[in-house]
């Protein structure tokens, strides 16, 4: 399957970085995976069969977003409440994201491409279609002692990543959060309490989003612009809510079973799977609580 030279080079950087640090681990309060490549392809089949017409091209920033030092305005907090009546006509049906499923001739998940078209109007991205980069994203639900090794490896290789943080992680690990900022990484929101977002009343979903957003603004003078839904579960209503809060919803086009701290995958097999899955515009979901590498 053809992959651009730039994507192969980025995959090589990915390989070098991951050899020096751990993969995987669960995210948030529960120990359930946020999505794995081996999951059922039901979500992809549904997306392929029901995808709407392509949305207008988004002017949203790419996954790496804008570093805080380049921002032209001061970070702002979210208001206590929002007007939710505008979301009443949108579906509250819970959707799950894997991804898994078939790939195209560029090794890209067809489900991710279909969901880009269907949900792009809500500023949601499942892979970066116009990019030849690979984006490293890490879900930070709790700390297992390995994040410093990840940061060391990323710094050594000159690679920046997106770290999606929960509220509990920010409260317990402020020094590591500050180090992420100091070393040029992007912080995203993985929610405050890691709830199943589409099951919450919109008022509660807004309050959860607002709590972590304002914590990062007030404690680190950093305004997050990227959001990852806990467990990859979303609805049209919650996508619209997160968009209203000023976020881009970032899902992923690659993930694998790397979250069980007591059942770690073989390092060689894990590395081979990660490299073989490389594709232009790939958003890799990895986590930082295992000792695989």
């Amino acid at each position: 399957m053809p992959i651009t030279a730039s994507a192969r080079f980025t995959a090589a950087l990915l390989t070098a970085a991951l050899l020096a640090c751990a993969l995987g681990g669960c995210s948030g309060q529960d120990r359930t995976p946020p999505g794995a490549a081996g999951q059922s392809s039901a979500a992809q089949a549904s997306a392929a069969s029901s995808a709407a017409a392509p949305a207008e091209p988004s002017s949203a920033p790419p996954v790496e977003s804008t570093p805080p030092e380049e921002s032209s305005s001061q970070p702002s907090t979210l208001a206590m409440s929002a007007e939710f009546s505008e979301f009443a006509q949108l579906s509250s049906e819970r959707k799950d994201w894997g991804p898994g499923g078939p790939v195209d001739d560029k090794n890209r998940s067809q489900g991710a491409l279909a969901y880009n078209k269907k949900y792009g109007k809500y500023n949601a991205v499942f892979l970066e279609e116009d990019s030849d980069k690979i984006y490293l994203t890490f879900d930070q639900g709790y700390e297992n002692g390995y994040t410093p090794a990840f940061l060391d490896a990323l710094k050594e290789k000159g690679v920046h990543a997106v770290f999606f943080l929960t509220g509990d992680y920010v409260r317990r690990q402020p020094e590591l959060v500050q180090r992420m900022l100091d070393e040029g990484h992007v912080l995203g929101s993985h929610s405050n309490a890691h709830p199943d977002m589409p099951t919450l009343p919109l008022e509660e979903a807004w309050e959860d989003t607002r709590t972590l957003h304002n914590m990062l603004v007030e404690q680190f003078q950093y305004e997050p612009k990227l959001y990852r839904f806990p467990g990859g579960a979303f609805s049209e209503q919650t996508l619209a809510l997160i968009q209203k809060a000023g976020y881009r919803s970032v899902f992923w086009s690659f993930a694998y079973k790397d979250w069980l701290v007591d059942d770690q995958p073989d390092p060689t097999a894990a590395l081979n799977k990660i490299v073989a899955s490389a594709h232009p515009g790939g958003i890799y979901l990895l986590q930082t609580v295992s000792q695989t590498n």
Side-chain angles (χ1 to χ4, degrees):
M1 289 171 287
I3 299 175
T4 65
S6 177
R8 286 196 296 269
F9 174 73
T10 312
L13 287 179
L14 165 66
T15 303
L18 290 180
L19 279 172
C21 62
L23 298 176
C26 78
S27 179
Q29 282 67 22
D30 59 36
R31 297 292 178 108
T32 56
Q39 284 183 262
S40 167
S41 60
Q44 286 67 41
S46 174
S49 64
S50 62
E56 290 299 318
S58 172
S59 60
V63 170
E64 64 261 58
S65 189
T66 304
E69 63 272 17
E70 295 180 11
S71 177
S72 60
S73 61
Q74 293 298 312
S76 59
T77 57
L78 287 180
M80 289 290 290
S81 62
E83 175 57 55
F84 304 115
S85 59
E86 62 190 278
F87 307 133
Q89 77 281 9
L90 299 177
S91 173
S92 61
E93 180 185 359
R94 186 181 191 276
K95 300 288 186 179
D96 292 297
W97 178 242
V103 297
D104 69 1
D105 60 357
K106 295 181 180 179
N107 210 22
R108 303 178 302 178
S109 162
Q110 292 186 22
L113 293 168
Y115 268 30
N116 269 359
K117 292 178 180 178
K118 187 170 185 178
Y119 298 114
K121 60 186 175 182
Y122 299 115
N123 209 7
V125 61
F126 296 79
L127 64 79
E128 288 283 8
E129 295 187 48
D130 297 325
S131 174
D132 60 2
K133 295 181 180 180
I134 290 174
Y135 299 91
L136 301 186
T137 73
F138 299 93
D139 286 358
Q140 301 286 131
Y142 68 98
E143 181 56 46
N144 206 32
Y146 302 119
T147 301
F150 276 85
L151 292 170
D152 290 345
L154 293 168
K155 184 176 182 179
E156 177 188 351
K157 303 302 176 183
V159 175
H160 290 138
V162 182
F163 289 90
F164 287 100
L165 311 175
T166 62
D168 185 68
Y169 192 91
V170 174
R171 293 180 189 94
R172 292 175 182 268
Q173 306 296 334
E175 295 85 2
L176 284 174
V177 174
Q178 187 61 56
R179 180 179 171 186
M180 293 168 191
L181 287 173
D182 292 343
E183 295 181 2
H185 301 293
V186 173
L187 305 184
S189 172
H190 196 35
S191 80
N192 178 54
H194 202 264
D196 190 20
M197 287 288 281
T199 67
L200 295 181
L202 289 178
E203 294 83 354
E204 292 183 21
W206 178 268
E207 179 59 24
D208 181 276
T209 304
R210 188 188 74 85
T211 297
L212 178 56
H213 181 100
N214 292 353
M215 187 188 312
L216 290 171
V217 170
E218 293 162 2
Q219 188 169 341
F220 298 96
Q221 295 74 56
Y222 185 92
E223 183 177 0
K225 291 294 187 181
L226 306 179
Y227 187 90
R228 172 158 289 158
F229 280 87
F234 66 97
S235 67
E236 279 194 286
Q237 284 189 344
T238 53
L239 285 175
L241 180 77
I242 294 302
Q243 181 183 35
K244 183 179 182 70
Y247 283 88
R248 189 179 199 201
S249 294
V250 179
F251 291 85
W252 57 89
S253 59
F254 172 84
Y256 82 113
K257 190 177 179 181
D258 65 349
W259 60 86
L260 298 176
V261 296
D262 297 323
D263 184 20
Q264 287 297 289
D266 175 75
T268 300
L271 184 60
N272 289 341
K273 184 176 184 67
I274 287 171
V275 175
S277 300
H279 52 278
I283 302 173
Y284 273 45
L285 167 58
L286 301 166
Q287 302 183 61
T288 55
V289 299
S290 81
Q291 56 181 345
T292 291
N293 285 345

